[in-house]
Amino acid sequence: MKITTKIERAVEDGKPFVSFEYFPPKTDQGLVNLYERIERMSHLDPLFAAVTWGAGGATSERTLEICSSCQSIYGLESLMHLTCTNMDKSMIDSALQ
């Protein structure tokens, strides 16, 4: 379901909601720690989880991996928070595809 639809429904129903935003760690141990945190926080029933896309696409592969894990393992709707700082237009086009 689209995140905008989920937000609209929550607002219409008068239900408060939360979302979480994560940033991809640079180390493998940091990734393990993040997944443990996402697992614990998923029990708080967020409406969705956003994962940042590092400036210049530095952590793009991890962003995709984390978004995929949020959906397939933890059952969280996810989105990539695409930051366009210091990125070539071609890299932005590729990310959006």
Side-chain angles (χ1 to χ4, degrees):
M1 177 185 307
K2 285 185 168 182
I3 291 172
T4 55
T5 303
K6 293 179 90 168
I7 292 170
E8 288 169 356
R9 286 185 181 174
V11 170
E12 287 171 4
D13 294 342
K15 293 181 180 177
F17 61 89
V18 297
S19 64
F20 298 120
E21 183 167 2
Y22 303 105
F23 64 92
K26 293 180 181 172
T27 67
D28 291 339
Q29 183 58 50
L31 187 61
V32 169
N33 292 339
L34 177 62
Y35 282 139
E36 289 172 358
R37 183 166 289 116
I38 291 171
E39 197 279 324
R40 287 193 312 268
M41 294 175 80
S42 70
H43 297 291
L44 298 172
D45 197 28
L47 204 59
F48 63 93
V51 183
T52 59
W53 181 282
T59 57
S60 60
E61 292 300 318
R62 285 229 164 129
T63 298
L64 293 168
E65 176 188 337
I66 294 165
C67 283
S68 177
S69 294
C70 280
Q71 291 186 173
S72 64
I73 297 171
Y74 305 108
L76 299 175
E77 193 74 50
S78 65
L79 68 86
M80 290 187 298
H81 179 162
L82 181 61
T83 52
C84 300
T85 304
N86 298 323
M87 288 181 65
D88 292 333
K89 182 182 180 305
S90 63
M91 193 170 200
I92 294 168
D93 290 341
S94 177
L96 293 173
Q97 286 179 350

